Amino acid sequence: MSPFIIMILLSSLGLGTTLTFMSSHWLLAWMGLEINTLAILPLMTQHHHPRAVEATTKYFLAQAAAAATILFASTINAWATGEWNICCLTHPAATTLTTMALALKIGLAPVHFWMPPVMQGLDLLTGLIMATWQKLAPFALIIQTAPHANSQLLIALGLLSVLIGGWGGLNQTQLRKILAYSSIAHLGWMIIVTQFKPQLTILALITYIMMTSATFLTFKLLHTTKINTLTTTWTKTPLITAIAALTLLSLGGLPPLTGFMPKWLILQELVTQGLPLTATMMAMSALLSLYFYLRLCYAMTLTTSPSTNNSSTPWRLQNTQNTIPLATFTTMALLLLPVTPLAQALFN
């Protein structure tokens, strides 16, 4: 694809997200979401193979259904209250429909069905955009509508997402599917605290974007998309492999890495709000995700080629990828836990 066309598409992605961020009217927010969706479709099909076309079709159908539901819900609210303002979403049916439509937009369980197959059909860079940038605009709307949303519905969505994200990733061998289920689990942590403390949702989203960006860029640098091919990385690039393993443990939320910070603060907030049972279930469910992160770490660092896996050693070609973004995101994904007091002060 021409660099000029890619620049136009990426600019349209930024325009759609910015339009949704700045909107207080449902029609403008819907327009921003549609621009965002239409801009990423050509990027998803730039590699012409049937799996990419299938992923693009699934993504378009899911996003079109969610956008239509948002428009329908906002129309119901406007008909009942006379208000098109996003912060004036007070009609119960419109509130529930909007929450579920936004959950479908970002891939929350139980409407997560499109996320793993779509991620599997994309290359790693487009998958990175799908897992990070495409979450920003819907989350802006979720945070604005959370004060009027059904509290039990948000808690149920959060718990289901963490459970399904953990269970779904256990038996996967494709790294993009594992990262898709990882995304579903992390979204559950973000959504469950939105009604109590939206600042924590923003902090968790920023932390997730840093850790996921580091993981995707590492896999792109290593030219790997399956667990089998991870077994040869230690002999080629031991330093990058060790750092990648630490990044995966950070995604799992282990101290003293950055990923521990949002989980710790979210659990603390749930206990403060009088939900110790919910906090316990979230903490126990996080162990499921931690298992498949440890599985990847085991494949990278504790197996040597030749192993029992049917893997082949790739050629050691000179790398042409710009590693400055990878170095930046990796550093932030590993070393930001000591700035937790500063993060709390900024987001309070």
Side-chain angles (χ1 to χ4, degrees), residues 234-314:
W234 184 264
T235 54
K236 291 191 303 177
T237 53
L239 180 60
I240 291 177
T241 306
I243 293 174
L246 289 175
T247 306
L248 289 169
L249 294 178
S250 182
L251 269 172
L254 283 184
L257 303 169
T258 305
F260 178 65
M261 174 171 55
K263 288 185 169 63
W264 174 30
L265 296 176
I266 288 170
L267 291 175
Q268 185 181 15
E269 183 63 27
L270 290 175
V271 173
T272 304
Q273 295 293 334
L275 297 168
L277 181 61
T278 304
T280 304
M281 293 175 66
M282 293 288 288
M284 296 296 289
S285 302
L287 296 176
L288 295 169
S289 300
L290 182 60
Y291 174 81
F292 62 74
Y293 295 132
L294 286 172
R295 186 169 166 230
L296 294 181
C297 293
Y298 170 78
M300 283 193 292
T301 59
L302 296 178
T303 58
T304 56
S305 183
S307 63
T308 55
N309 295 322
N310 296 323
S311 58
S312 58
T313 305

Side-chain angles (χ1 to χ4, degrees), residues 90-103:
T90 54
H91 192 274
T95 304
T96 304
L97 278 174
T98 303
T99 303
M100 292 307 298
L102 291 171

